[in-house]
Amino acid sequence: MIDPASIELHQFITKWYGKPDRSPEIGGRGYTQLPAPLQAWHELSTRWSTPLVRLKKILTPDEIIMRDGKAIFMTDPGDAIWAFDPESPMDVYEGRLYGEWVELPESLPEFLTHNAMNEAAHNAPHTRSCDSVEDTQIAEIVAPMTEVAFGGWQWPRPGHRIFMSETLIADIGPAMEDRAPWGNKPGHSEVQIGATTSSALSYLNDIPEIDWY
């Protein structure tokens, strides 16, 4: 497995989104009150005009709100929320707007790397997706890649894993049933793959019976 601590965010983002096309911005009032890894993320992300986070939203200092003693710093379009504890800012909590907090096994630096890679799998220059792949085919799909040893989170449902190579990144997790109560579909996974080049995805054409889009 790949140690998440070995992934340097500036290098990773440059590989997946190209060189920075903006001058670095110095954080304004409020940014210095954020945990150092989150402040560094805000400063880093301003160097690209291309949004680095699209599936979710990392909040600015003015948008951060407190709930049950936790500072919410990221949301998704549904009701998922993520927060840090001001008393222990490297600890990350995941929850729902009307649910309980769950402390994640990932520290804030690891979480921000995990989120950047999850986003890249969806926002890379070239992508392939399938909502339901038989689990027996996953080994062939991830064969060119190595799993990243993230501690794990709950979104969008528990069990998602990240795999990567020099040109590929994959987010793989349980497939969803196609009817209520929308549980996991036994024996199937959803697959999202991003690539730096279209040719890096060509091996997927040789894996039968998968309807990629």
Side-chain angles (χ1 to χ4, degrees):
M1 286 197 178
I2 298 171
D3 182 354
S6 69
I7 300 170
E8 201 282 317
L9 272 177
H10 187 280
Q11 294 178 357
F12 173 80
I13 294 169
T14 299
K15 176 176 289 187
W16 288 88
Y17 297 93
K19 293 181 179 180
D21 56 357
R22 288 180 172 175
S23 300
E25 296 181 13
I26 303 300
R29 185 172 62 183
Y31 282 92
T32 56
Q33 305 303 314
L34 297 175
L38 189 55
Q39 180 182 352
W41 169 263
H42 279 287
E43 293 181 351
L44 179 65
S45 63
T46 63
R47 301 193 63 189
W48 278 265
S49 58
T50 299
L52 306 183
V53 178
R54 296 181 181 177
L55 300 177
K56 312 173 214 68
K57 180 181 180 182
I58 296 183
L59 306 181
T60 65
D62 290 342
E63 295 172 322
I64 287 176
I65 60 174
M66 299 296 296
R67 200 194 82 174
D68 300 331
K70 307 295 188 292
I72 298 172
F73 70 88
M74 192 171 80
T75 64
D76 82 345
D79 66 348
I81 51 177
W82 293 266
F84 63 86
D85 184 343
E87 299 299 320
S88 183
M90 295 302 107
D91 296 337
V92 181
Y93 294 80
E94 184 173 6
R96 301 285 174 173
L97 289 175
Y98 304 104
E100 299 294 326
W101 289 116
V102 175
E103 184 175 359
L104 298 181
E106 300 180 355
S107 66
L108 183 56
E110 180 178 328
F111 177 88
L112 292 170
T113 300
H114 189 169
N115 188 60
M117 297 184 73
N118 167 256
E119 292 279 342
H122 291 263
N123 302 327
H126 308 274
T127 61
R128 291 278 186 91
S129 305
C130 185
D131 292 334
S132 183
V133 174
E134 291 189 10
D135 286 344
T136 55
Q137 296 179 294
I138 297 300
E140 190 172 1
I141 291 171
V142 302
M145 296 173 269
T146 302
E147 185 172 357
V148 185
F150 289 119
W153 56 18
Q154 307 296 306
W155 185 91
R157 56 184 55 218
H160 275 252
R161 298 182 293 163
I162 297 287
F163 297 79
M164 71 177 299
S165 69
E166 287 295 313
T167 57
L168 296 164
I169 185 165
D171 182 348
I172 297 176
M176 183 187 297
E177 291 179 328
D178 55 8
R179 60 178 63 88
W182 316 112
N184 292 345
K185 184 177 181 180
H188 292 77
S189 295
E190 65 175 23
V191 177
Q192 175 70 42
I193 303 179
T196 55
T197 65
S198 59
S199 60
L201 296 168
S202 61
Y203 79 101
L204 297 173
N205 298 329
D206 298 326
I207 303 176
E209 299 178 356
I210 300 178
D211 295 324
W212 297 106
Y213 62 89

